């Protein structure tokens, strides 16, 4: 009876290990693809940001040139350019914010990954128990044989 109960316990232990392993693997995959997506998005935003900066410096250069050719028409153009420059700066700010946010989310993902490590550790502990269980069953079976 005892060996039977031990085998039942072993079966349950293995099922538990399997289920933890499965969810650990799922988390791991999720983590990988999430990090990958965020890195791609960061890269995309950095490119947009760089383009915005280039455009901004071109606008500022044009603006300077115009300011030097001072006239009424030029002044109103200059105002329009100033507005455009300000608009660009705002776009740049919000891009910076988006990049910052993505970095934060990436850090959260990395934290989630430490949960995965904890699960791996738990699996190791359970596998040790499993081996112990197997040894116990083998010795119980031996005792039964000897008792006959």
């Amino acid at each position: 009876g005892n060996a039977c109960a031990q085998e039942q316990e072993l079966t349950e232990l293995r099922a538990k290990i399997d289920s933890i392993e499965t969810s650990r693997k799922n988390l791991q995959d999720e983590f990988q693809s999430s990090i990958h997506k965020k890195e791609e998005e960061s890269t995309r935003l950095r490119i947009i940001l760089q383009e915005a900066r280039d455009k901004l410096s071109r606008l500022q250069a044009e603006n300077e040139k115009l300011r030097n050719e001072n006239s009424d028409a030029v002044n109103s153009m200059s105002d329009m350019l100033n507005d455009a420059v300000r608009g660009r700066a705002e776009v740049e700010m919000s891009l910076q914010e988006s990049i910052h946010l993505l970095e934060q989310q990436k850090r959260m993902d990395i934290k989630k990954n430490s949960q995965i490590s904890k699960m791996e550790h738990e699996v190791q502990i359970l596998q040790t128990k499993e081996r112990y269980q197997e040894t116990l069953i083998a010795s119980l079976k031996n005792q039964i044989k000897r008792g006959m």
Side-chain angles (χ1 to χ4, degrees):
N2 201 356
C4 219
Q6 292 293 341
E7 282 194 328
Q8 179 59 38
E9 206 175 310
L10 180 60
T11 305
E12 283 164 18
L13 194 58
R14 286 188 176 140
K16 191 173 175 190
I17 289 171
D18 281 349
S19 99
I20 292 174
E21 268 297 344
T22 303
S23 47
R24 183 194 63 78
K25 190 177 171 347
N26 290 342
L27 274 173
Q28 186 85 46
D29 294 345
E30 223 175 87
F31 167 73
Q32 293 296 350
S33 92
S34 178
I35 283 279
H36 183 66
K37 276 201 202 92
K38 291 194 176 80
E39 276 167 357
E40 279 183 344
E41 182 64 6
S42 285
T43 302
R44 199 180 65 79
L45 286 175
R46 283 201 179 89
I47 290 167
I48 293 172
L49 182 58
Q50 193 48 56
E51 285 167 357
R53 283 179 177 154
D54 295 345
K55 202 166 270 185
L56 185 59
S57 51
R58 275 201 304 281
L59 281 172
Q60 280 166 331
E62 275 172 52
N63 203 2
E64 274 310 300
K65 215 169 82 188
L66 283 174
R67 203 175 278 140
N68 296 337
E69 297 166 358
N70 223 339
S71 82
D72 283 350
V74 169
N75 278 336
S76 72
M77 270 287 290
S78 180
D79 288 343
M80 278 161 60
L81 271 169
N82 270 330
D83 291 343
V85 166
R86 261 195 302 280
R88 275 279 148 206
E90 277 162 27
V91 168
E92 180 167 323
M93 284 283 294
S94 77
L95 278 169
Q96 288 276 41
E97 255 164 55
S98 297
I99 289 172
H100 178 68
L101 223 107
L102 277 165
E103 292 297 326
Q104 260 180 337
Q105 286 172 336
K106 205 163 102 182
R107 277 196 293 279
M108 276 161 66
D109 276 350
I110 288 165
K111 234 179 247 158
K112 209 187 294 170
N113 200 34
S114 80
Q115 286 175 308
I116 296 173
S117 310
K118 277 190 201 118
M119 286 172 94
E120 280 168 351
H121 183 63
E122 196 182 335
V123 167
Q124 279 166 355
I125 291 168
L126 289 172
Q127 280 168 340
T128 308
K129 269 190 192 164
E130 177 188 27
R131 283 191 292 277
Y132 169 74
Q133 210 69 44
E134 283 167 343
T135 318
L136 195 60
I137 288 168
S139 88
L140 282 169
K141 281 184 174 165
N142 276 334
Q143 283 170 25
I144 291 166
K145 269 187 214 139
R146 273 205 303 278
M148 281 180 158

